DNA sequence: GTCTATATTTAGATAGAC
DNA sequence: GTCTATCTAAATATAGAC
């Protein structure tokens, strides 16, 4: 069945524990125990806790951001379809890995600063097909960079934040794990709709009168 | 000038370091050093690192959530004004304490689970004036609880997430600290507008055709 | 490659003088 | 209340046998 090499078993156990307890909260002994191997082997393969962590972290970041460019750069899909796809795929993914965002965000701050810079997401976003399509939709060739931030930060906020704040959201709403998942399922279709409306409302700087 | 008692100096230093490095990443020696006192005194006043942490954490949670009820329950303000006020005040607050949300979210998960439950935010939200005003606006006496979640989770997502993901957002956008603050300043007025439109779009379940 | 045993370092907590 | 010195425990890392 699970014919993983020793090296991979250690990496897998490390990934789980680092995510659960963070870098400093994780003991190498626990990683060894969960891998079903001895502590000495961990150092044999990875030299140190720090090195092991960096490896795991790099893979995790790539797992998280690796798919982003392909969503943003598909010339076959419209601007709106891109947001739909982004919502669906990221929510599906995060339902299987709900602790990933909080892990990445807090460990980047504490133990892996610099990793994000190296990926230069900046270019990835601004040179994307998404950015071009936005400019076209607005009827301009050049678009204020600030508008592009919103275009990407707002959907990501609405997708990721509930996972980051899951314990808080569950306490706030009284939902159990199942109810939480259902809520996120609904958001797959709601977020793109909201996003369209947010973009439209930015067009009419006249902040518009509404029913509520 | 800064005539704090020794006890308060320790607490203040602890707060700063716990926020910066998390519970397990913080050494009591560092807290002592930053307080300008000796390690032994820390234990004299607070008995243990754990006890000191719990105290600091409790105060931090109250600082963060303590103001929420007064925003949600003011009978003088409309639904929309409540969201406006919430956005303005929380963004102002978070500009002075940008690391607070990530700290709370990650430490609650690791070292302070149960603290949130004790505050039963659930009741605070559902019995709020805000919830009543929402029901009225919808022309109903009873409203599906799911709608209330959205009413509160969405603005909070849009307000808090950029702070939680600040390193990522700054890398993504290329903004410096100053530019980031300006972006958040703009969001004070944008978020309430977006929120109005999100609520309206939920009314027409016909997901509506729009310009983009 | 894998283990047991051990060295080394680090960090929390306390004893006891002042 | 505050300090120096020290104890104790925990956790990382390595030596050396198999």
């Amino acid at each position: 069945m699970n014919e993983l090499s020793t090296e991979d078993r250690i990496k897998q156990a490390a990934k789980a524990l680092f995510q659960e307890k963070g870098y400093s909260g994780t003991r190498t002994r626990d990683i060894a125990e969960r891998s079903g191997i001895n502590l000495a082997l961990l150092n044999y393969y990875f030299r140190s806790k720090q090195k092991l962590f960096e490896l795991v972290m790099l893979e995790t970041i790539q797992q998280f951001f690796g798919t982003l460019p392909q969503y943003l750069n598909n010339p076959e899909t419209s601007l709106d379809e891109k947001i739909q796809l982004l919502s669906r795929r990221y929510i599906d993914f995060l339902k299987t890995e709900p602790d990933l965002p909080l892990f990445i965000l807090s460990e980047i701050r504490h133990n892996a600063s610099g990793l994000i810079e190296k990926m230069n997401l900046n270019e990835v976003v601004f040179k994307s097909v998404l950015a071009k399509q936005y400019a076209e939709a607005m009827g301009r060739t050049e678009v204020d960079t600030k508008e592009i931030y919103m275009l990407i930060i707002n959907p990501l906020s609405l997708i990721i934040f509930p996972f980051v704040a899951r314990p808080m959201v569950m306490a706030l709403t009284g939902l159990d794990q199942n109810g939480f998942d259902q809520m996120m399922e609904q958001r797959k279709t709601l977020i793109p709709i909201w996003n369209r409306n947010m973009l439209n409302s930015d067009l009419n700087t006249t902040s518009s009168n509404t029913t509520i």
Side-chain angles (χ1 to χ4, degrees), chain A:
Chain A
M1 276 299 195
N2 212 345
E3 283 297 325
L4 286 175
S5 68
T6 303
E7 187 170 353
D8 283 336
R9 291 223 313 288
I10 299 175
K11 234 159 65 179
Q12 190 176 283
K15 205 173 223 165
L17 281 169
F18 282 139
Q19 276 183 40
E20 197 177 316
K21 298 168 185 289
Y23 176 76
S24 19
T26 299
R27 293 193 308 264
T28 50
R29 280 175 160 76
D30 293 336
I31 298 175
E33 191 185 1
R34 184 179 295 208
S35 319
I37 56 94
N38 188 278
L39 172 59
L41 262 191
L42 187 150
N43 291 291
Y44 171 76
Y45 279 110
F46 301 98
R47 191 73 193 167
S48 77
K49 180 187 180 183
Q50 181 65 34
K51 289 252 196 309
L52 172 57
F53 175 78
E54 280 163 15
L55 198 69
V56 163
M57 193 61 188
L58 188 66
E59 288 188 12
T60 305
I61 297 260
Q62 278 163 353
Q63 183 188 13
F64 193 82
F65 287 108
T67 51
L68 198 58
Q70 88 190 49
Y71 296 136
L72 305 187
N73 287 325
N74 184 347
E76 304 290 316
T77 57
S78 72
L79 179 61
D80 191 57
E81 286 166 337
K82 284 190 179 54
I83 303 295
Q84 284 181 44
L85 221 57
L86 193 78
S87 303
R88 278 213 298 272
R89 297 286 171 76
Y90 258 98
I91 286 176
D92 276 338
F93 171 56
L94 291 178
K95 277 167 89 171
T96 71
E97 301 274 355
D99 297 328
L100 217 53
L102 185 56
F103 168 66
I104 291 176
L105 290 169
S106 77
E107 294 303 319
I108 272 180
R109 189 168 143 56
H110 298 136
N111 303 300
S113 57
L115 255 186
I116 284 282
E117 282 74 5
K118 278 178 198 147
M119 305 193 69
N120 75 327
L121 293 167
N122 198 324
E123 271 207 12
V124 170
V125 171
F126 285 100
K127 296 196 172 167
S128 65
V129 173
L130 178 86
K132 286 197 190 66
Q133 286 174 326
Y134 177 78
E136 281 171 26
M138 292 296 159
R140 285 170 275 165
T141 47
E142 280 299 312
V143 171
D144 184 9
T145 49
K146 279 178 198 156
E147 302 178 47
I148 309 279
Y149 311 158
M150 306 284 189
L151 186 64
I152 191 75
I153 290 175
N154 288 340
L156 286 183
S157 296
L158 295 167
I159 293 169
I160 297 176
F161 182 77
F163 288 99
V164 173
R166 195 166 43 128
M168 216 165 83
V169 168
M170 286 170 73
L172 196 74
T173 59
L175 289 170
D176 59 6
Q177 183 54 48
N178 209 325
F180 179 86
D181 280 350
Q182 281 174 22
M183 183 184 79
M184 292 314 298
E185 200 57 34
Q186 288 191 318
R187 286 174 88 84
K188 281 188 194 173
T189 58
L190 288 173
I191 289 171
I193 296 172
W194 291 336
N195 194 251
R196 274 201 295 282
N197 292 343
M198 289 165 84
L199 290 178
N200 286 335
S201 73
D202 293 346
L203 286 177
N204 340 343
T205 18
T206 52
S207 30
S208 84
N209 33 4
T210 52
T211 46
I212 295 190

